[in-house]
Amino acid sequence: MMSVWLASLARPFYERHAGLLAFVFFVMFGMVESSQIIYYHHSLIMGALQSPVFLLLVFGVWLAYTLKSLSFTQQWLHKPTHAFLFVVGGLPARHQAGMLVQYHGFIHAPVVVYALMMVGVAIYHGAWWAATSIIAVQAALALASVWYYRHLLMAKQPWRLPTFRLSLPGRYPLFYIQLLLSELKGVFFRTKVFSWLALVGFLQIENATTDMRIPLLGLSLGLLAHTVLIFEFRKAEETTLAWVRSLPWSVSYRWRLWALTYALVMIPEVVVLAVRFSTVSIIPVGMAVAIGFCLLLHASLVRPGWSMERLTKIGFLSFLLLFGTTTAALYAYPTALAWLLSFGLYAWYFPRADPSEPQEKT
Amino acid sequence: MLSLQAVHKAYGAHSVLRIPSFHFAPGLHWIKGTNGSGKTTLFKLMAGMLAFEGDVMHQATSLKKQPVAFRKLISYAPAEPMYPAYLSGHQLIDFVRRVRHASKEQTHQLLNVFQAADYAHQPVGGYSSGMLKKISLVMALTGDTSVLLLDEPFVTLDVATVQHVYALMAERLRSGATLLVSTHQPWQPFEGMEVKQVALVDKNLYAE
């Protein structure tokens, strides 16, 4: 039973997130010379153990990972093809809990392994308080996850953020903001948490408030998290808002409305940048980079046969390009290219393609 | 005059419409056709929602060459309206009103005629199909377009509302509009209304 459970849920989890995990692995282990890896990670862990803020950021990343895995499990468990897994709900409680703990451990293996390394270093250096808090956080995340999996298996309603009804004026960009705040609250919350962590993490680096490249690197990482929102926007544009095609708007006006929509979405990030950076020049630069990235990804999905896979590939490549050029202070070039290319793609494909739903793998 | 010129629409290799030439004079046109004959595709195509070969012209305005100007002249009520569940009828109607530069009085009046004012503030996700149909008709009738494309406008509507739709159609016809209506419902032509029947058969349009 355990192997079926893992093959049905854990395997697709790693398949779906292979790109992101590979990137994190590359950042953590691939960017440092092999002879320096142990020293590098020892320094990184010591930094977290000695700084409560840094440690809280690490806990935040773990929490985001847990929320992601819970969301994935909930989504897949409710697929018709996975309905048979509810048979686990009929197992004795002890047996069931054992399975779910193993599943949590399997899904969280990268996090748990690194947490154990941190605990080892903390104990070696006598940082008992930090070691205890790491164990407590990991235990709390495991218990909460197992409790939630059981909650789902008992066929209870999935947990949702408290509902409130927001009614914005009838303006096209605000339709998408309302989509985020009504039907995509969880995705929106996770995206913004990840984006905020990426930004704040980079802002901890020396000279981050004076060297524009550093916050822009954080922003580019945060933008990568927005691919899911861009995908959902495109889906809405092609389904429940497909009728807007019959309204008297030019293609360039529609594209400008998208630029405005993404400007609204990126307001939180730009506020963080404006507050933390030394000059206000970060506001137009940050906004231009963020909107350009989102527009390019959006426009790349206007071609027929669009899918999450295509978005993931283009998103990752765009991110690598932006990240690399930003390091060399050349971010203006990919940003200008993104704006131009997005307009070209949108203007060419939008009038030539029928409304279509994404091609999704089951 | 609303004209279709060398219109061809295919979904992949499957050809749905092939209309060498057809003209709709101002007035009421009943588009007849069996299920799957391509009526909805024809309506969506003329509304500018689908890509196709050929062109559609109205008052010397081309859908292909002047897409914005053409869309100002035309409005469309779908057979099965689909809107974001989280938006209210008011939000949708207000949005269309602004785009079409229509007055608040007009939308207010339409909401009253369709008896939709009481629920229009609620999200459309909670509407019945009839309630949703009324909102889609209000949206299509908002503004002063000279071509109205009504795809199955009477489906799911109660008898009283159907009479209101007839009255609104008659009003538009008096102002010289072109109305294209598809319906499988029993047709109830009202006084002074001349219905021109058009059959959609074998991917082409034929006047009857």
Side-chain angles (χ1 to χ4, degrees), chain A residues 5-231:
Chain A
W5 180 275
L6 290 178
S8 307
L9 292 172
R11 191 172 153 182
F13 176 83
Y14 280 108
E15 281 174 355
R16 277 281 170 116
H17 300 98
L20 183 65
L21 291 168
F23 170 73
V24 173
F25 188 82
F26 174 73
V27 169
M28 296 290 280
F29 298 98
M31 293 175 75
V32 188
E33 278 185 40
S34 53
S35 59
Q36 298 291 312
I37 280 182
I38 293 176
Y39 173 74
Y40 168 72
H41 282 280
H42 183 262
S43 305
L44 204 63
I45 291 170
M46 285 306 291
L49 297 178
Q50 287 166 359
S51 162
V53 176
F54 193 0
L55 194 58
L56 277 176
L57 277 175
V58 173
F59 291 167
V61 173
W62 292 349
L63 178 64
Y65 188 90
T66 304
L67 290 173
K68 180 82 194 158
S69 64
L70 290 177
S71 165
F72 176 88
T73 307
Q74 176 180 305
Q75 194 189 340
W76 279 64
L77 211 49
H78 285 96
K79 281 176 184 273
T81 50
H82 287 61
F84 70 96
L85 290 172
F86 278 87
V87 73
V88 173
L91 294 174
R94 202 169 162 182
H95 188 176
Q96 201 182 99
M99 265 188 71
L100 296 175
V101 167
Q102 283 184 64
Y103 171 65
H104 172 84
F106 204 85
I107 288 271
H108 282 72
V111 171
V112 171
V113 168
Y114 207 81
L116 287 174
M117 281 164 57
M118 290 180 74
V119 169
V121 174
I123 292 171
Y124 181 78
H125 289 280
W128 300 106
W129 183 87
T132 311
S133 59
I134 292 167
I135 294 168
V137 166
Q138 281 297 332
L141 292 176
L143 281 173
S145 298
V146 170
W147 174 84
Y148 191 65
Y149 297 143
R150 279 212 68 202
H151 180 80
L152 289 175
L153 284 173
M154 295 297 117
K156 290 180 182 169
Q157 283 296 312
W159 182 79
R160 293 180 189 283
L161 289 169
T163 54
F164 66 95
R165 176 154 162 67
L166 182 74
S167 186
L168 297 170
R171 303 287 199 286
Y172 191 65
L174 297 180
F175 286 174
Y176 293 93
I177 302 303
Q178 199 166 332
L179 170 68
L180 294 180
L181 299 175
S182 53
E183 296 191 349
L184 299 174
K185 285 193 290 278
V187 176
F188 184 51
F189 176 73
R190 285 192 297 275
T191 301
K192 288 300 173 188
V193 165
F194 183 88
S195 184
W196 181 80
L197 287 169
L199 258 186
V200 172
F202 272 86
L203 285 167
Q204 303 299 313
I205 296 171
E206 201 180 350
N207 298 331
T209 56
T210 52
D211 184 346
M212 198 178 281
R213 290 176 305 165
I214 299 170
L216 289 182
L217 288 174
L219 179 66
S220 60
L221 187 57
L223 285 171
L224 193 59
H226 284 74
T227 49
V228 181
L229 299 188
I230 295 166
F231 185 78

Side-chain angles (χ1 to χ4, degrees), chain A residues 165 167-168 170-172 175 178-179 182-183 239-243 245-250 351-355, chain B residues 9 11 47-51 68 71-72 82-88 91-92 95-96 98-100 121 123 139:
Chain A
R165 176 154 162 67
S167 186
L168 297 170
R171 303 287 199 286
Y172 191 65
F175 286 174
Q178 199 166 332
L179 170 68
S182 53
E183 296 191 349
T239 52
T240 54
L241 285 162
W243 54 275
R245 283 175 180 252
S246 68
L247 295 179
W249 283 348
S250 67
R352 289 170 175 79
D354 291 342
Chain B
K9 175 64 190 171
Y11 293 111
M49 290 178 65
L50 298 178
V68 178
R71 283 174 172 86
K72 281 183 183 169
M82 186 164 68
Y83 304 114
Y86 54 88
L87 294 179
S88 69
Q91 283 175 298
L92 291 165
F95 168 63
V96 173
R98 286 171 193 279
V99 174
R100 298 237 178 248
H121 63 283
M139 288 165 70

